[in-house]
Amino acid sequence: MTDEMVDSRYAALFTPVKIGPVIAKNRFFAVAHSAGMGFAQPHATASLRAMKAEGGWSVVCTGVCEIDETSDMMGHQNDRLWDEHDVACHRLATAEIHRHGALAAVELAHLGLGARNLYSRVAALGPGSLKCTSAYVPTQSMPMTVADIQAFRASHRRAVRRAIDAGYDIVYVYAAHDRALPLHFLSTRYNKRTDEYGGSLENRMRLLKELIEDTLDEAAGRCAVAVRFAVHDFTGGISLKEEGRAVIEALGELPDLWDVNVSPWSFDSSTARFAEEGFQDDYIGFVKKLTSKPVVGVGRFTSPDAMVSRIKSGLVDFIGAARPSIADPFIPEKIRTGQIDEIRECIGCNVCASTEMYGVPIRCTQNPTIGEEWRKAWHPEKLKPVSKQERALVVGAGPAGLEAALTLARRGVEVSLVERESYLGGRIEWESKLPGCQTLARVRDYRVYQLERMSNVQIYRGSPVEADDILQFGAHRVVLASGASWRTDGAGPGTPNGLSFGGGVTVLSPEAALREPALTGPVVVYDDDHYYVGHGVAEWLKAKGHDVTLVTPLADVSQWSYYTLELRRLEERLEDAGIVCVTKSKIKEAKDGSVVVASGKRLTSLACGTVIPVTLREPNRRLLDAMELRKDEWRDAGIESVTLIGDALAPGTVAAAVYAGAAYGRELGEPQRAESFLRERATL
Ligand code: SF4
């Protein structure tokens, strides 16, 4: 389909926009996000950004790009432009982005109080002597003198020069996410200065204004200058919605582009549990009324209709996207070519954010190829056909089985997908019923929709299989994606020998609890898993009218949700729901209508009709064991391999299960690489 053939409904998304001296070809703007590879893995970074350019985004931005050692985030592999070596690394990315006809943007950043400086060991910079906000760093910033501010501005200028030298078309000044030095100066929460950089709003925004002017001066028309600015902060203490407005009123015409959002990062990247598509509209909507410069706004947009409405209504000029562009780097091309049904929608789970929190290469629940563009040469839309005719039997239609079946089918394999239940999706079927988890269903729905349209795929629902069935099936490849089942003995990390359950209390797995219409209360959920199932089941049962207590051995409820940026908001949510949370505690025993909870040496008895342990899952390996016992029959049955994948091999996240399915499907029949684990190394 040519540009002229774009569906008229979506034509508004494919008109060009002038950004200062450069022109963006359409309205799709891949905003900055970390990929967890940064300065340490420049080839991998370049390949990831290139994929978005190939997918049709008119602008492709880096992640946070540190300008110098005073904003060092070692441990999180950000982008860096500290020196000439970094310039050469960035040229890899800009060349690739340009090769696909997109503009390259760099989010130059100084994280101010958010910088860790654990590698550089220099003092963090701040408007005063303030606690550094980077987690677990018990240090304070040095209060910047005016001379320090001048030195910082000079350093930012040098980074701008390096960015232009690296080939960037758009250079950012960063003032967002509660982790940017100019934002810390702007905020009365942090800025208590009494000099020309403190006090009045004019004084507090002086640094931001100077940085924009410096960047424009260095750019001198060679590239556009953008500002990423949080117009509202949810953490309180500052009133950015009003001050955000005042900043845009004062500086609106200064840069070439405004990329606006809300702060802090956990709100800008709200999960689907807390915010829907377009959730930032009410906060950023005023910006375009106050500036003639193009405006980028985000809101986890995956629906072309929602995108068009934002452009046509004049809310924004660009549909900004980080997570949707991770889940599907080819959204623009799919819309342009009318393949709307092919869009792999972001589910708003923030598994991608968790990798940034860990400081490791990015991953995604929906898109298993993200982060593997260079290391494994995985392309989200292109798969290498299998070199010989293959028939595969995939047993189990959970996330791993669905992804394996789809990947194999796309490579030309004749696929039979058998599922013992009458529905497809496996764990997704019930997990997506948990409060806040509805978008998980997209993982199933996207894949089932694709599979049902393929002529080389047969799907058998309600079809339990045994080893005899498999041996008679005539498949060359057998993929066992038989999932895992929650244990009900309470064995878990804090209780390796299980829990003591006597009579008078019903013990249910979380999955069974959702199926049980007449469950006996009160309910105690024991969460030693620490992700969404424990609190999800608690919320589900509370909504059904039960008294629910959630007991967990860790200090926080659902502690892994820290990595998905949900932890603090989740605590409020559970409190609002009226769920009693007992932390740093274990169940000692459950019997005769009560559970005894041990909190250190203190024992407390709680009335309990049903206890739901959320601790460990047991991999369902029974079919593999049965097949292994009959290995000598495989050859006659035409079976070349039997492979256990996903939760059936090692229970984990849905993202891990999808990745396992993709890895099986993509690597089947492919020659082993000489280097089994390709990695980027420092050159000696
Ligand atoms: Fe979206 Fe989740 Fe993928 Fe992140 S990991 S892009 S939130 S689907």
Side-chain angles (χ1 to χ4, degrees), residues 323-324 326-327 345-352 363-366:
R323 291 173 292 174
I326 295 167
E345 292 183 287
C346 168
I347 68 168
C349 62
N350 276 4
V351 161
C352 51
R363 68 204 57 185
C364 169
T365 302
Q366 276 283 55

Side-chain angles (χ1 to χ4, degrees), residues 107-122:
E107 187 179 78
L108 291 185
H110 194 293
L111 301 183
L113 303 170
R116 304 171 78 190
N117 293 359
L118 294 172
Y119 172 53
S120 66
R121 303 177 72 166
V122 299

